Amino acid sequence: MATPILVTGAAGFIGFHVARRLLAEGRTVVGVDSFSSYYDPRLKEARFARLSEFPGFTGLRFDLADALATRQLFDRHGFRTALHLAAQPGVRYALTNPEAYASANLTAFVNILEGCRHTRTEHLVYASSSSVYGANTKLPFSEADPVDQPISLYAATKRSNELMAHAYAHLFGLPCTGLRFFTVYGPWGRPDMAIYRFTDRIARGEPIEVAAGGEVRRDFTYVDDAVEAVIRVLAGSPPAPARQEMRGPDGSPVAPIRLLNIGGDRPSDLNRVVALIESELGRRAVRLTTALPPGDVVSTSSDASSFAALYGRVSPTSLEQGIASFVAWYRSYHEPGHIRASGSDPVPD
Ligand code: NAD
């Protein structure tokens, strides 16, 4: 039997979708999640329950910051491919909970690298973020752009992941691909993110906080498109191992790493997002304008050409279609159980 693929953060938004797609394609998946309390754990429970319906799914609950448990996980399964999506997301939450980022995004990441190193995992694919581009104003963001000035602790930990992966690739020949996701949204999405929060509040007739008069622009990426990109990366060849003849400009060996933007390629402002949600719900929003929160950026836009050159272009789902699918899911999920959205980021990741 083929070795299972590891998906960390499998009870999370993107992890759930990727795991479900892999399982539907007949792969076996070991999903790990700590069910962190950052947002409503009932949503995570519901996602995990869906995955558990597949016979090929093994669901494990533990904290990847636990070095011993993580090492035992790798020793037991000997994953050839590992997809590491577990993390503490969110820009604002880090202002009051920095230790959560140190534990989930740094300690757990080292434990994943160690597990991969010791069991000779052939490809580690992990989540980075568009936030590594900081306050860059040159759009669209390309992987070659400078990323040495993060403006949030979240972004700093995501950039740290890229640097740590580089070190392990260089030292131990561990092939690593970092995926810089751009504002992923869709059914089963994160309640702390803008599209979910706006939908929830407008549906209840409550005011929404729209940062910077709605001028904020994001490269909204529909989750199925992000999943398609991840699936292509998992199915493709890992970055080539470092070889003596592969030398960088300074003579150092080139580590087997890749960094790829995973973005929708079609940025949109929050005013348009609100208008589309209003239209789907058939209700007008009551809007409160707030300042751009510290750590957030005005615009993101992804240059997806590096991904397309390697794996082909993923045709982006339109924002109209994506929001319609999200609102339809929102309605079905919240009726009749009526689960309250939580979180506080008025602009998206
Ligand atoms: P999510 O919060 O829904 O999923 C992350 C999951 O990781 C959660 O279920 C959480 O319980 C789990 N987790 C956290 N710490 C853990 C730990 N120490 N051990 C085990 N499990 C742990 O977030 P998401 O939106 O699905 O994001 C997935 C990844 O993509 C994250 O790394 C995130 O930083 C990154 N990302 C997401 C977006 C986006 O728009 N959704 C954008 C950029 C980057």
Side-chain angles (χ1 to χ4, degrees):
M1 200 170 90
T3 54
I5 184 162
L6 172 66
V7 179
T8 74
F13 170 39
I14 302 175
F16 160 72
H17 279 280
V18 176
R20 192 169 62 165
R21 168 92 181 257
L22 289 166
L23 290 161
E25 290 175 357
R27 300 288 306 268
T28 50
V29 172
V30 173
V32 177
D33 207 291
S34 64
F35 290 75
S36 82
S37 57
Y38 174 57
Y39 61 78
D40 195 336
R42 284 175 296 179
L43 182 53
K44 298 182 183 184
E45 295 286 354
R47 296 184 187 126
F48 227 51
R50 293 288 176 110
L51 297 180
S52 301
E53 290 168 8
F54 290 90
F57 183 69
T58 303
L60 303 171
R61 295 175 188 228
F62 69 89
D63 189 335
L64 291 158
D66 180 335
L68 182 61
T70 306
R71 185 61 197 280
Q72 286 171 343
L73 168 79
F74 277 85
D75 287 344
R76 193 175 315 127
H77 294 283
F79 303 108
R80 292 173 66 182
T81 308
L83 176 64
H84 179 52
L85 299 173
Q88 174 57 59
V91 165
R92 268 194 145 186
Y93 190 66
L95 297 173
T96 47
N97 299 275
E99 66 292 340
Y101 294 76
S103 174
N105 298 4
L106 301 179
T107 304
F109 197 80
V110 172
N111 293 341
I112 291 288
L113 288 170
E114 279 292 289
C116 290
R117 167 196 173 191
H118 286 289
T119 56
R120 299 185 184 285
T121 301
E122 291 168 16
H123 194 187
L124 169 63
V125 181
Y126 66 93
S128 182
S129 163
S130 61
S131 65
V132 300
Y133 292 109
N136 280 11
T137 50
K138 185 181 107 7
L139 300 172
F141 298 154
S142 145
E143 292 88 347
D145 289 346
V147 283
D148 55 358
Q149 294 188 335
I151 60 166
S152 69
L153 181 64
Y154 170 66
T157 60
K158 286 292 171 182
R159 178 61 186 145
S160 300
N161 290 169
E162 297 179 352
L163 298 173
M164 292 151 91
H166 186 281
Y168 269 65
H170 172 78
L171 288 170
F172 309 114
L174 172 64
C176 296
T177 300
L179 306 177
R180 293 176 175 170
F181 290 112
F182 282 68
T183 314
V184 183
Y185 75 101
W188 298 94
R190 275 196 5 230
D192 61 311
M193 291 181 71
I195 289 180
Y196 200 133
R197 282 176 56 76
F198 288 168
T199 303
D200 192 57
R201 293 194 146 256
I202 297 169
R204 295 167 196 279
E206 294 173 4
I208 57 169
E209 292 185 354
V210 185
E215 300 292 309
V216 169
R217 291 177 74 80
R218 286 290 179 275
D219 202 338
F220 291 99
T221 309
Y222 189 62
V223 66
D224 287 357
D225 304 339
V227 169
E228 175 62 28
V230 175
I231 293 291
R232 290 187 199 180
V233 172
L234 293 174
S237 307
R243 293 195 306 269
Q244 279 304 75
E245 65 271 25
M246 293 173 68
R247 298 275 164 183
D250 60 352
S252 61
V254 177
I257 60 151
R258 274 188 204 126
L259 288 166
L260 294 170
N261 288 342
I262 305 294
D265 228 355
R266 289 184 189 169
S268 176
D269 65 32
L270 288 183
N271 286 327
R272 180 153 171 259
V273 166
V274 173
L276 289 171
I277 296 171
E278 287 177 329
S279 151
E280 283 303 317
L281 288 174
R283 289 186 83 144
R284 294 301 302 270
V286 180
R287 297 167 61 121
L288 306 173
T289 294
T290 59
L292 192 67
D296 261 309
V297 299
V298 177
S299 292
T300 69
S301 171
S302 116
D303 175 345
S305 57
S306 297
F307 179 90
L310 284 167
Y311 302 105
R313 183 170 177 270
V314 176
S315 175
T317 302
S318 70
L319 196 60
E320 287 84 351
Q321 205 184 323
I323 286 183
S325 299
F326 172 74
V327 171
W329 170 81
Y330 172 88
R331 285 196 159 119
S332 67
Y333 181 72
H334 286 271
E335 296 161 1
H338 204 68
I339 291 175
R340 186 77 219 232
S342 58
S344 61
D345 271 0
V347 289
D349 240 4

